[in-house]
Amino acid sequence: MTVYWVIWDAAAHWVVDRLERQGALPAVSRLRTHGMLAPARPAHPNCQTPPSLATLFTGTWPAEHGVTGYTVPGAGPRGLGSHISGFGPQFPAVPPVWETLGVRGAFVHVPWVFDGDDAVGSYVDAAVEAYSRRTVRHAVTEVTPGPAREWLIGPHPVTVEATADGVRVSAHDEVTLTPDGGWQPVWLTGERVGTWLACVRIGERRLLVHTGVWRPRYGGADQALLDRMRDCLPFAGEGVGPLYRAETFGTRLAEGGDGSAEEFFLSSVECTMRSFRTVTDAVLAGHDADLVVIYLPMTDDVGHEMLGFCDERSAAYRPDIADAIWSLIGRCYRWSDEILGRVLDAARPDDTVVLGADHGMVGSAHLVHLNDQLVAAGLAAVDAGGELDPDRSRAFYHPANNGALYVTEDGLMPRVKAVLRELPVPMRFLEPDGRPLDGDDTGDPRVTFVALHDDYQPTAGLAGAPPYVRPLRKVGAHVVWTGSDRLHAVHAAVGPGIAAGSAPGVIDNTAPARLVCRQVTAQSRTDRRKMSFMGNPPDFPHALSPEELTARRAEHVRAFLAGRDLDPHWLSGLMRERVGPGLLLLTSSPVHGLANPTSDLDFIRIQQAAIDGPRISTKIFQDGHHLEVVSFSEAELTSNLDELERLAALPPGETVAGIRGWDRKREPRRKQTERIVNGVTMDGDAPYLDWLPALATVWSRQSLHNALEQAAYAALAETAGETRGRVGYAYNTLVHLMDALLSYHGDVYTTRKWYVLRWTRLVADGCWRNDRVQAVATTLESLRKSVAAALEPSAAGRPLAGEYVSLALDVASATGTATGVKVHAEAGGNLMPFLPDASLLIGNGAGVVLPGAASLPLTDGPVGLADLARLDTRAAGTLLRALRAGAARLSITYRHEEPAA
């Protein structure tokens, strides 16, 4: 099974929807009819291409993946005003889905597949990317009679010679072009660097035009596919839009032209289409990839130049030329649709095809020079060359032009906003995460985002003189997410499990990544049913297959209900009567064979319809039985299960951070998600058991992390001279290590009171995954039986913590989580002088007096977990006091080293 993910840059849902309903996009019609079509909210607060693609590809927002604009402010080497490309190899901070999935992939001009050394991951079968290696942008020269002359196309010299009816161009290839004879591909070197050339007659003049030049890079393990990619037409990444805007090819329609300038511009975009179509065909001709990602830029190109003239909600709208322009836009979208149709034709019945876009597009009519207004108010400074000087400015709109407004002094932002509001432009201000600021002077931010009305686009460039609001010739835009539905991206999909004709309403553009993950892993989950449960090696004699585990749990449920004289069908009918139809799961202790005659019956119900707000369980008392049921929707459960698999694929520290923040963001919550994965229907099925490996991985890592924290506290307490506190932390370490190892073996149950009973059951069964795990389990069991003795008065001076630290590190190694663990302290606030020989640490809503603390220990850098015992008594006590008060936190980092060959 293959998932094909086709990306149309800036394909606005409103444009696609309108064209499809007009019958202009037959491939999109196939998706709408046989699958689903929906609008998708783009990245915020900035929705330029890099942050929007990062959101699309990672399933996270810019606050998480770190790409905040076409260039990212403050990330360069030259201070606050510097900025670097959002497409740089150091971005995004969250890996794209293909990296977390690790499945075989093929990529057509997709960012963040190659690293800074032009290498690709082992999962890449074949990839081509050229945008990061542009040699020169498009250019034009006049063809004049006379002898042949040299014309430099970037670093590549070509010979240009006028002929009677055209022009002859000699490079690595030689071509003869005639006016209005169309574009021809030309190789400039023998290393497959090329461009596209055209000769055009403008009045009495003949002009020779070339598209931009890029040097593609290739990588991957599928040599045959890479060879086909290299044999494709020269890369063309964009049309000649700036030359069209400058009316190099004649007057635009908007200024009274006859349409020939638009036709020539569109013909240059067609070169891009032909370039991308050939490499797409090369992939479709034969591949073994599980995921194919194809990026197509044409819709963005034409949208920037023309879409505003057709946007009836924009001041750029021109009813006199709207129909003519709409026809041209439709032609470009049809090129993208035709490539999508080729993908649909190549897809097999069990394949999935997803159409997505990074963002939409709004019409826009005015360019706003924000920094000129700040310069005039004495807030921003210019250098000797008349350019913005961020280092000498008190406030400035960042040169990254991503919407970010910076101030360098506390308390200055309200004045800056007031100065900008003097411009005749409707504007709002946003938090860096895209939320509207509550009031003009709330807080004292150093950075905020300015969101102009859609008809006004910001620029960091200086006009030099009034007016600071000027006409905009590039009439389609997408900079700051204003909330306009015209900025919604298109999202469509067809494939297994996607209901035909479904229209889910507006979704977040984080959702497509989850869909792709779900569809890619669907086949691997099916395959997993045929293998030993939880990846145990084939010679592991007691491993349970999913079918065997389902049968065992179904028997637990049957026995429990029989013992309570309850009929499963009667229960199903009662629940349907009381709470409505849906998939009913019995959860908790009856499933795990731990229930007793007085245990409650806890149910979870999954329904199709959406549910808003927090969940409150319904309590039912019937014939002496206490039943509880809580309901969730299919959509939110799908989102949770996708997130569970994403977290399981992350490095351990990121897994733990994700699961710890789960309950603040998600329904069902952690506990309920575990219950659903383990739940059994009244018919004895376990419909969500496929997600148990992901749940087990996530929960095992979380429990191990908890154990490592408790082991660290035990070491600090012992070093500080405590005799009883260290024992409590030691016992907590054991309990969490039990849960970590139980989960590592696929036995996940979030109720803590059952940890020890389940552990003793596992020890009795002796079903360990390997000898290394069995060894640490034996040590754990020995310490469990002896820990209480540490409370005896005779044991007060005997070292204790070292054994538990060592055990926690051994479990981390045995489970493959990490080969080393380091810790460091993070103060949650400010440490201030208080009384003689004492300081006050205030932060995170907590405060604590720290005797003798001039600084908080372990904040300078991480140390090994075992090194905590080397702290002096006073430092250990100081840190432990701060941690207990909640005014500091202990951060744990993992190291994983591959064994030497």
Side-chain angles (χ1 to χ4, degrees), residues 541-612:
H542 302 291
L544 293 176
S545 70
E547 290 79 11
E548 291 168 330
L549 185 60
T550 299
R552 174 181 289 187
R553 290 182 170 179
E555 177 56 26
H556 289 159
V557 168
R558 188 204 62 76
F560 170 75
L561 294 179
R564 302 285 289 268
D565 198 23
L566 290 171
D567 178 74
H569 299 293
W570 175 83
L571 272 176
S572 296
L574 175 67
M575 287 297 185
R576 189 163 48 249
E577 174 190 330
R578 298 295 180 89
V579 294
L583 178 65
L584 191 67
L585 299 169
L586 180 61
T587 69
S588 302
S589 56
V591 171
H592 297 273
L594 298 168
N596 57 50
T598 62
S599 295
D600 293 337
L601 285 88
D602 296 322
F603 292 90
I604 291 178
R605 187 179 67 95
I606 311 299
Q607 67 178 49
Q608 279 192 323
I611 307 176
D612 294 324

Side-chain angles (χ1 to χ4, degrees), residues 30-366:
R30 290 163 66 182
L31 293 178
R32 190 199 288 269
T33 301
H34 301 290
M36 56 88 70
L37 180 67
R41 282 178 288 263
H44 51 262
N46 178 283
C47 58
Q48 292 171 316
T49 297
S52 299
L53 282 178
T55 288
L56 187 68
F57 290 150
T58 67
T60 63
W61 298 114
E64 297 172 77
H65 61 61
V67 185
T68 58
Y70 207 95
T71 58
V72 178
R78 296 189 300 278
L80 189 63
S82 65
H83 47 111
I84 60 176
S85 172
F87 286 129
Q90 63 270 57
F91 299 116
V94 178
V97 295
W98 49 80
E99 190 172 329
T100 58
L101 286 168
V103 296
R104 300 178 68 175
F107 304 89
V108 175
H109 298 295
V110 177
W112 307 305
V113 174
F114 290 83
D115 63 20
D117 297 320
D118 292 344
V120 297
S122 59
Y123 56 87
V124 177
D125 276 2
V128 58
E129 189 277 326
Y131 279 107
S132 61
R133 294 175 140 201
R134 178 158 53 194
T135 299
V136 65
R137 299 197 75 172
H138 44 255
V140 61
T141 187
E142 186 168 357
V143 179
T144 57
R149 62 182 177 87
E150 184 179 89
W151 184 33
L152 279 178
I153 300 180
H156 310 293
V158 302
T159 301
V160 176
E161 182 180 8
T163 65
D165 55 355
V167 57
R168 183 181 299 110
V169 180
S170 301
H172 182 74
D173 292 343
E174 180 176 289
V175 296
T176 298
L177 305 164
T178 58
D180 308 316
W183 295 82
Q184 292 194 37
V186 177
W187 293 111
L188 299 173
T189 74
E191 287 75 41
R192 310 301 284 177
V193 175
T195 188
W196 295 69
L197 293 169
C199 183
V200 58
R201 191 185 304 277
I202 307 297
E204 298 300 318
R205 303 166 63 215
R206 284 183 296 172
L207 301 180
L208 180 62
V209 190
H210 74 77
T211 62
V213 180
W214 293 262
R215 293 184 299 111
R217 51 183 177 172
Y218 303 86
D222 188 336
Q223 194 59 50
L225 179 50
L226 287 173
D227 289 343
R228 291 201 303 274
M229 285 179 166
R230 290 189 178 95
D231 286 341
C232 291
L233 293 169
F235 178 77
E238 62 183 2
V240 294
L243 298 178
Y244 160 71
R245 253 176 281 136
E247 301 193 355
T248 303
F249 312 116
T251 306
R252 299 192 306 173
L253 274 171
E255 284 75 42
D258 60 5
S260 58
E262 282 73 20
E263 287 289 347
F264 187 76
F265 163 66
L266 203 63
S267 72
S268 71
V269 179
E270 188 176 8
C271 298
T272 305
M273 181 275 290
R274 293 170 61 189
S275 169
F276 278 75
R277 184 178 62 193
T278 58
V279 72
T280 299
D281 286 346
V283 175
L284 298 179
H287 67 83
D288 294 315
D290 301 298
L291 175 65
V292 174
V293 188
I294 299 166
Y295 168 79
L296 302 176
M298 297 85 72
T299 44
D300 181 74
D301 214 351
V302 74
H304 279 300
E305 302 300 336
M306 299 180 176
L307 193 59
F309 298 137
C310 307
D311 184 355
E312 296 180 7
R313 293 159 60 186
S314 170
Y317 177 61
R318 289 286 300 273
D320 55 328
I321 62 172
D323 288 345
I325 294 292
W326 185 254
S327 175
L328 296 169
I329 290 172
R331 192 190 311 171
C332 180
Y333 270 75
R334 280 194 297 276
W335 292 335
S336 298
D337 186 78
E338 188 242 334
I339 295 176
L340 174 64
R342 290 172 181 243
V343 174
L344 285 168
D345 290 341
R348 297 165 299 187
D350 60 344
D351 290 343
T352 297
V353 177
V354 179
L355 170 65
D358 44 357
H359 48 71
M361 187 86 72
V362 296
S364 203
H366 308 285

Side-chain angles (χ1 to χ4, degrees), residues 806-831:
S806 178
L807 175 61
L809 293 173
D810 285 347
V811 171
S813 177
T815 57
T817 307
T819 55
V821 174
K822 290 193 173 184
V823 296
H824 73 278
E826 296 177 352
N830 296 318
L831 188 66

Side-chain angles (χ1 to χ4, degrees), residues 25 66 68 79 120 190 227 233 331 355 386 399 412 414 433 495 539 543 618 682 708 801 827 845:
L25 304 177
T68 58
V120 297
D227 289 343
L233 293 169
R331 192 190 311 171
L355 170 65
L412 188 59
D433 63 2
D539 58 350
T618 300
M682 293 297 93
L708 291 165

Side-chain angles (χ1 to χ4, degrees), residues 497-515:
I498 300 172
S502 53
V506 181
I507 64 170
D508 288 338
N509 221 16
T510 57
R514 294 193 295 271
L515 172 65

